[in-house]
Amino acid sequence: LIKVLEHLLRTSNLEHTWIFDLDNTLHNAEQKIFPVINQKINHYISKELKINLDDADQLRQKYWDQYGATLEGLIKYHKINPNKFLEETHKVDNLEELVVPMPNLKNTLDSIKAPKILYTNAPNNYTKTILKKCDIEDYFDSIFSIEDANFKPKPSKISMELFLNKYKIKKAYFVDDIKENLETAHKFGLFTIWLSNHKEDPKFIDKKISQLSDLITD
């Protein structure tokens, strides 16, 4: 694995772009942020659809499993206003206090001497807050958020086409913690790097790392 990663880093140049996911890739969202946001989503669904919180929780998870983001299902089946949804569910008063950067995050990004783009299902304002708290805003050449994808989340092929066309990407390494997102990326010819401790080894994954800092080779 180290030899492969060393090769990737040596051959990273202006022809290759590094694409990074945000949540649970650059920071540990599962630890503090996601529990808070999931509760806010449950309350939003309960209020808008007039259902109890347990049913709202089940619906949130169902749409996330099915589409990669709860919002997609809410738009498709319930005509939810996406901007209002994102504003109410991702506006967390103490968000900066909940951010847990991945170990050696800045060193990892600094070791990759190539263009880097953030590709996330999260909204733009939330994303910028996370990057600022992690002190890594300057490492990324651009941010592609859910708004940029016209609210079509990964792993949608539509989202991927919008992303690749916007930046005219031909060759890239794509780092994500969700294998379904990487499966779509693989279909478009990208080199896929799965950040995961799962034992499975899907054919569409080119390399698997257990922690982000595994990308550091010096």
Side-chain angles (χ1 to χ4, degrees), residues 79-190:
K79 310 301 181 185
I80 289 293
N81 182 303
N83 290 304
K84 182 181 177 184
F85 170 86
L86 293 171
E87 172 66 21
E88 291 196 22
T89 60
H90 285 72
K91 187 176 182 180
V92 180
D93 293 335
N94 61 332
L95 179 61
E96 292 186 356
E97 299 174 14
L98 305 178
V99 178
V100 181
M102 290 300 185
N104 289 319
L105 175 59
K106 295 181 71 173
N107 289 338
T108 301
L109 296 175
D110 190 54
S111 71
I112 300 173
K113 308 302 183 183
K116 290 178 277 292
I117 300 175
L118 192 65
Y119 179 15
T120 177
N121 285 344
N124 190 264
N125 288 338
Y126 164 93
T127 299
K128 288 181 176 179
T129 300
I130 301 297
L131 294 183
K132 184 176 181 180
K133 179 61 179 180
C134 293
D135 193 25
I136 56 173
E137 313 105 296
D138 295 339
Y139 286 101
F140 291 93
D141 297 275
S142 189
I143 297 171
F144 190 86
S145 65
I146 192 67
E147 293 96 335
D148 297 303
N150 295 327
F151 306 108
K152 289 290 183 181
K154 297 179 291 182
S156 163
K157 290 182 180 179
I158 295 174
S159 176
M160 181 63 69
E161 286 177 343
L162 287 170
F163 173 76
L164 295 177
N165 289 337
K166 178 174 181 177
Y167 299 106
K168 297 178 173 56
I169 293 174
K170 301 298 182 183
K171 299 178 181 180
Y173 306 115
F174 189 9
V175 186
D176 202 310
D177 67 297
I178 303 295
K179 67 180 188 295
E180 289 80 7
N181 298 340
L182 294 169
E183 183 174 16
T184 300
H186 177 79
K187 292 176 181 177
F188 282 85
L190 305 187

Side-chain angles (χ1 to χ4, degrees), residues 29-75:
E30 206 70 46
Q31 185 172 337
K32 296 181 179 181
I33 292 178
F34 273 4
V36 173
I37 290 180
N38 286 344
Q39 287 300 313
K40 291 177 74 71
I41 292 176
N42 288 347
H43 280 90
Y44 185 88
I45 293 174
S46 176
K47 178 184 67 175
E48 293 294 320
L49 304 187
K50 296 179 173 55
I51 59 178
N52 64 49
L53 286 174
D54 287 339
D55 290 340
D57 184 58
Q58 292 182 22
L59 196 63
R60 174 188 60 78
Q61 190 63 51
K62 174 185 175 182
Y63 289 154
W64 193 93
D65 291 339
Q66 189 171 352
Y67 298 108
T70 300
L71 177 58
E72 174 75 359
L74 293 176
I75 293 173

Side-chain angles (χ1 to χ4, degrees), residues 18-37:
W18 279 75
I19 305 165
F20 287 86
D21 173 49
L22 176 66
D23 293 326
N24 290 326
T25 298
L26 300 182
H27 73 112
N28 189 340
E30 206 70 46
Q31 185 172 337
K32 296 181 179 181
I33 292 178
F34 273 4
V36 173
I37 290 180

Side-chain angles (χ1 to χ4, degrees), residues 186-204:
H186 177 79
K187 292 176 181 177
F188 282 85
L190 305 187
F191 188 99
T192 56
I193 303 175
W194 189 23
L195 176 56
S196 173
N197 287 306
H198 290 290
K199 294 182 179 180
E200 60 184 302
D201 189 22
K203 292 182 179 180
F204 55 83

